[in-house]
Amino acid sequence: MPTPSKQGIGGSGGASGDDGRSSGPIGLRVFEADGPLIGRTADLARIDRFLVTVARTPGGGGPLLLLGEPGVGKTVLLAAAVARAERRGMHVVAAAGQEYRAHLSHSGLGRLITETAAARPPVDPGEALAVALGHRDGPPPDHDAVARDVLSLFARIAGHRPTLIVVDDVQWLDPASATILGDVARRMAGFAAGMLCAAREGSDSFFDHSGLPIHDVHPLGESDAQDLLERSFPALAPRVRRRLITEALGNPLALLELPIALDASPPRTAVAMPERLPLSRKLQSAFASRITGLPPTTRYLLLLAALDATGDLDVVRRAATGRCGLKHLAPAERAQLIRVHEPAGLRFRHPLTRSAVVELATSDQRRSAHRALARAWQEVPERQAWHLAQAAQGPDEGVAALLERAAGVIGGRGDGPAAAAALLRAADLTPSAPERARRLAEAACTSANISGDLRDVPHLLDTARRTAPGADSPAMAVAGAAYLLNGSGDIDTAHRLLCGALTTRPAPYDPADTALADALHTLLLVCFFGGRPELWPPFDAALARYPLPPVLLAAARRTFADPARTGPADLAVLDEAIAGLTHDPDPRRIVRTAIAGAYLDRLDGCIEALHRVVAGGRRGEHIAPAIDALFLLGNHAWLTGQWQHLQATAREGLDLCEQHHYPMQAWVGRYLLACTAAARGDHEATRTLTDRMNHWAGPRRADTVRAYAAHARTLSALGQGNFEEAYQQATLITPPGTLPSHAPHAMWTFMDLVEAAMRTGRRTEARDHAAAARTAGLDVLSPRLRMLIHATGALTADDDRHTGFQDALSVEGAERWPFDLARIHLHYGERLRRARARTRARHHLGTAADLFGQLGAAPWADRANQELRACGTPARTAPRPATAVLTPQQREIATLAAAGLTNKRIAERLSLSPRTVSTHLYQLFPKVGVTSRAGLRDALEHLDQQ
């Protein structure tokens, strides 16, 4: 890990904290020269106002106390104040309390008075003060007399030029000095001198600051904390950075010291970051001082609470049974180390106090506390296993097995880093080399496919192979394949690696073997991205080795790998799996289920679960599934016309891909951006993105990525009216007249190919392709596909009957897919105009223009407007405003649709036909300025306010 950059320290807002000074009498002069203080604008503004008042206002002197937690940056702010005061020509007198000298009477005052020696002309300190400091002999002076002498001394110095008296760490001043300076601070009004002090909040002190103006120095906000870490330690892995930000809680000293202490600890991978971060000497000094003076029973209870980390007082009570009661926590509460909220809550005021409590305990004390906590958690096996593992002193297969099972539970809840850490600890405790290697491989697999620590995979796999040379497992293959795909992008090698691992497993396969299932799910994605039929037979052979294959895996083999050949039984399994996502905590299962339903328009039922996965990714619990979830949400947003949301979602996913080194997954995000750019007429962006796709995919034989590029280019060409180019691009995905096996993207482009074929005079090819889609039974797979089947049938029909278009527009929920719907309106309007049915044509063309305009699909809106002009109607220059009056029936339908009811349910409620409901919806959407049901609620509220 690199040492912090000079800029980062300069911008810390608190690098040194409250100890360890570098130069000068109190070391306040060295910090600001290196750069601006991050996140301290408001603090510096308050100090500047104070200095201006002292320097420019007659008699404007007085005190100001900076109050904050240890390490929050008070010393650095004092340093900034000194530099600012000196630039204003002020005289500065500075000193600091020192804990090791707090027993020496008047020592703090003596250091401060020594600083006044630089005053010109020299000033006499006064009789009482001189005696108190031991400069003259005499009887012990009265406290008030000493205070008067100090006040007089400061007044005479300030009489020559404005003066700033700076006192750091007043909590460590000796009692006599603290008492006198507290009195002086309250009596400084009317002088041209200011006293700027700093103290730790919550510390006992003889410096009485009651009645003094106080400025609270708060910890840094999260964005400033991240800025400080990125500047000071740019090479930190994102998850390590997040952990440090969480532990530091905005404390600048901790942000700058924790990475250094972590780097100095025994080498570990990112997935195995220690449960308790090590503290540097400075952090120990800052956070441990109030712990060492506590009674032993209090420290034991704090150790139990720190190692448990749940904040559950009942757990501490059960663990401490027979040794001490919770009443012994009172001294820690009085020292403001913890907050206790009966009946069940205990919280450390700062996470690093928890670390300090653990670090101050001996290893025997920690193991004993872990054993006690294991007994307290005996009804929760994963927590019990973790504490038993921490208490173990050597290899223990029983504990290792418990911990491995716990890792499975934890991973199933989506906490990838914790699951990986449990597996690594299990490997540490495993006596058998092959078993230890297997558990290391499982940790690598978890790192790659859940927690987002892909860069740790080579090290973990190398350690596993050195532990047991020749050992192999599905987990090794999965981790290796993930690393290959996101490193070189070598699809064929990843395919061979996974197939080789699967063939070594004896048949029949065990359905309970999760590592085996993970390998097959990974192989499914490898075959998908390869996009070639010859990749699938080894997958099918492996799946056949199950006596009864995992239900979701078997369904995904058809619904995702070859959706055009999905049968009713597969749909039933898929729909049941989607229905079960409501309370499913496993991010991998959620994502795998959503992937299985993506080509069959089943993402509607997965949205809430996918948002849960994204939320966990934002917390750093499972990065890899969160990336998939973001792109699946983007996929849904593309089809449902929520293109602004798509942009934000895809960008977030791409950012995660870049931060965590997942370039393979990034092609899905780029595909979504390319499609949106194509539909909106940003053809240069489309060309740039698709060029990148083809350049990467070509040498790696990633045919699905090439299909992504062809799809976006097809849309771009259609929008520009370049139908020959559109046809050539569409036929790169599938030849006309067939829906080939293992080419799922043909499901999403068959109407594009039919349109391009018709526009270029290839009527036979267009009819054949429409017939192939109809014969494949796509109309039974989803309402959207049924709508497109009707539309392509109408496009290729010889006669002027338009029942196909009418059937398409009457499909249940047609308004949910505004881009597809607008294209059908456009095709219908064009056909009507050519049949000279201009009045009806205007309605459909106008609806198309409005929908395209609301989506921002400029080229398509231009096509619709061109047709409108040919009908003798002015072009629609913009979507109609959301001020049109809805009929009572339209308003009722809109309200029910906004509440989530389907067209069928609305029809039943209002005694209408579903077709009538659908017609009303696509008529009212343009009126209220939305393109889908998702915007209805807000649009109706807006109408109510008008």
Side-chain angles (χ1 to χ4, degrees), residues 183 281 468 841 895:
D183 287 348
R281 182 189 60 80
T895 301

Side-chain angles (χ1 to χ4, degrees), residues 636-644 816-819 855 931-932:
H636 180 262
W638 160 247
L639 293 175
T640 56
Q642 302 172 70
W643 292 354
Q644 289 298 116
R816 291 167 51 207
W817 308 290
F819 186 53
L855 289 167
T931 61
S932 69

Side-chain angles (χ1 to χ4, degrees), residues 10-14 36-44 72 77 215 217-221 223-225 227-228 231 250 252:
S12 72
L37 304 185
I38 294 172
R40 294 304 181 197
T41 303
D43 303 295
L44 292 172
V72 79
L77 287 171
H215 176 73
V217 182
H218 297 291
L220 299 177
S223 61
D224 288 324
D227 188 11
L228 173 57
R231 292 191 190 196

